[in-house]
Structure formats: structure tokens, C-alpha cells
Amino acid sequence: MVIAFMAMVPETLAKANSGEIDSKSAIAVDAKSGQIIYQKNATKNLPAASMSKLLTAYIVQKRVHDHQLKWNDQVTISPEVAKLSTKKGFTNVKLDAHKKYTVKSLYSSALIGSANASAMALGDKVAGNSQNFAKTMRSTAKELGIRDAQFYNACGLTNEQVAPMNLPKVQGDDENEMSARDTAIISQKIINQDPAVLKTTKQENYTFSDASGKQKEVVKTSDEMLRGQRYYNPALNVDGLKTGTSKKAGENFAGTLDNHHGHRIITVIMGAKPNQRFVVTKELMDHVIRNYRPMKYDNDQFKLRVRNGKQKEVKVKMAKSITLWGKIAQPDQFTNKIKLDPKVSKNNEITAPVLKNQKIGTNQVGFKNQKVEFLNQSGGKAPIVTGQSVDKVNFFVRLYRDVVSFF
């Protein structure tokens, strides 16, 4: 039996090159595994602007998923939110304090048309008021492993712009901040938790209405990479997710494209120059498609010794295959770092009885000359399980074996 313990060389799979992507920060990840394919200043906190609405949408989604909220629940609009919906210079749909709106209609208008008042109304529905929802945003971010982001309101406007719903003891020009990596984490969660979100974000237009269906307003998408829009590219097939723009932020965009080698890719651009976020996003998506491809790793079965077992060895295998994005031009060799659970193994052997498909450790898969990074610590790992059961031998057989081994 031979088990290789191979260390991975600390070099990022897709090392950021500030000359390649013209934005303050950027990241590209695999939507399912969370593997980081490209990054540039990805952990730097920057103004998020309306990309903040992704976290608001995720929280609403989670409430629906946990049966704490329903899509057709009706929302009462506060006078403050109604007033915000009519302010000039902000993206909005008009909300009337004397009318009610469904959670789904507010959610859709916030994601498609970036309606600020709709996002604020959703925050009120979830937490009672804007101040409480800001706390919910912060606690939810921590649950997702996001530690340094700052959240002040549901929509991404400055603290002063949402007054009188603003937070006390916070500067007027303060606005939500997070990193490109944080945004990728939220984007991954929102897609995987409810893939139907993409049916919303890919819409070019949305007819917004109140709960009675009488008040109607056509909302146009802010995502110009969708079908029929200025920057649409059929080779990329972008179907989401969310834009963000402010004086401090510049231009932001969290995008996603489907079915590249059967995989979905999420990209985030933060701090792009005016009218460049979609151009830069295309460059980043093209860079990934041109230079990287997913590579599948299936580990061959090997054997472990079994102490006090009727069979002296047991077959061991990975419970699932691992797919990693690697460079097309220089495909690298896979490495594996096997870690056996000390509770069931000692000195590279396990003690009978052994159950079939019993988890006995993990295999961390990587590349020989490239470090593979993930949004979460569990990325790239597969459980190691036994391929068969092995019963424990009786006392007399164990005694006989001990005597034979002694001599």
C-alpha cells in the first residue's frame, strides 16, 4: 500500500495581473465549486452600491426557503419608503403608501431595475425597519464567512440618501462596502439556493404592479449584457446578475454566464471606469474561457490494512470526483493530499469492524505547480470511503495471528 502525501506549491491558480483587467478589483469563480479562476485585489473592500441588493435578495430568498415568508405575501409601504421611491436621480419604481405590493414584485424590481425603494421595503418586511435590517445584513454576511464588509441599508445608497431611515452615528456619505470575493460568495449562494433567480435576472423588461394589478410600470433591466441589450454576446450567454453605480464606487457588475463546458461562471468587476463595466466583464469572461478549462480527477482505488479483520485489507476510494479549472496551455499534474481520520485509523490502518462506504478521511485535490483557491475551506475536498465491509475476527483467530506475528 502506498499513499502519497503531496504538498501544493503556494502559487495562485489565476494570479492577478493588474494590466489585464481594467478595474479596481475583479474575480471569476466556478459557481458550483467556488474555485477562484482569476482574481485581482479580490479581498479589498470597495463601495458596493446597488450590488448590495444581492444580499437583500439572498436574505429574502432564505426567508422564503425557510417558510418564514411567501412570494405572494403583501408588503405595506411606509411613508418614508414611498417618498424615497419618488426622489429624482435614484433608480426606482413608484410605491404608494396606500397600496400593497407582493414580495415577489418588489424582489423582481430590485434585481431587474435596481429599484432602491423596493429593496428598502423588503428590508422593512423582513426586519421591521431599515436599522434592524442592516443588522440582519451584517449577521447574514458573517454566516456566509464574510467578515470585513460594511452594510448600512438594503439598497446601497449612502446613509444620508436614505434619511430618515439612516443609521445614527454613521457618516452621511458612508455606503455599503464589500470585496469582489464577498460579492462572489453572495452571488454563489443566491444562485445555488434558488436557481430560479436567474429567470428573474435574465429578463430585459419587467411589468411591475401593485398587489391589485392596477398600478403598472415597465421596468427595464440595468444589465446591458443580456439578450437584446447593447453588450449582448451570444457566445457568452450572460443571464445575470446585478449592477451597481455610485460616485464613490464607480461602475460595478456581478455577472454570470452559463454552460461553459457544462459549468456556470460568476464574475465580479468593481471600480470600473465610466461605461466600461460590461466591456471589462466581457474581457474577464473571455480570458477565463480562452485560458482555462475544467479538468476532472477520479482517484484510483487503493487499499488500507485492517487490524483484527477477517480480511487483512480493505479497498478505499473517493466518494466523488473532483473537477478543477486548470490552464489550457500548460495542463498540470494533479496532486492529492490524503488525511485519514485519527478516530478510525492509526499508522495507516483501520480497526475492524469496517462498514461499507464508511467515511475514514478526506482527499484534498490540487495541482503540482499551482495553488488552487476556493471561496470556502471545503472546496476541492472529497470524502474517502471504504469500498466493502470487513467483519471482526473472533478472539482465537486474533490470538493465533498475534502468536504467529511474534515468532
Side-chain angles (χ1 to χ4, degrees), residues 99-102 105 208-217:
K99 296 181 179 180
K100 294 185 177 181
Y101 304 83
T102 66
S105 65
F208 177 80
S209 68
D210 65 345
S212 70
K214 294 179 180 179
Q215 177 195 339
K216 292 186 177 182
E217 181 179 347

Side-chain angles (χ1 to χ4, degrees), residues 277-301:
R277 62 181 156 201
F278 302 118
V279 174
V280 176
T281 296
K282 180 184 180 302
E283 291 174 355
L284 178 52
M285 289 178 173
D286 284 341
H287 173 77
V288 170
I289 292 171
R290 186 173 58 252
N291 294 289
Y292 298 90
R293 66 180 177 89
M295 304 176 186
K296 188 176 181 180
Y297 176 81
D298 285 307
N299 189 30
D300 293 334
Q301 291 188 359

Side-chain angles (χ1 to χ4, degrees), residues 123-227:
D124 287 353
K125 179 66 175 178
V126 169
N129 59 55
S130 179
Q131 293 82 4
N132 286 340
F133 188 70
K135 294 178 182 178
T136 300
M137 295 178 80
R138 291 193 288 271
S139 62
T140 302
K142 288 182 179 180
E143 290 172 6
L144 297 178
I146 297 171
R147 297 284 177 260
D148 300 323
Q150 300 294 326
F151 295 103
Y152 306 111
N153 58 65
C155 65
L157 292 174
T158 67
N159 193 48
E160 182 179 32
Q161 287 171 332
V162 299
M165 298 172 286
N166 57 316
L167 292 180
K169 300 180 181 180
V170 174
Q171 295 295 320
D173 63 348
D174 282 347
E175 60 184 274
N176 298 346
E177 290 188 354
M178 55 184 173
S179 67
R181 185 186 181 112
D182 296 338
T183 309
I185 291 172
I186 297 168
S187 299
Q188 182 194 28
K189 291 293 184 179
I190 198 173
I191 291 172
N192 292 337
Q193 177 178 249
D194 184 9
V197 66
L198 297 168
K199 294 181 180 179
T200 299
T201 59
K202 73 178 182 181
Q203 294 181 57
E204 303 168 52
N205 300 291
Y206 173 72
T207 302
F208 177 80
S209 68
D210 65 345
S212 70
K214 294 179 180 179
Q215 177 195 339
K216 292 186 177 182
E217 181 179 347
V218 176
V219 179
K220 294 184 177 180
T221 183
S222 58
D223 182 353
E224 296 186 47
M225 295 191 77
L226 297 180
R227 184 183 298 274

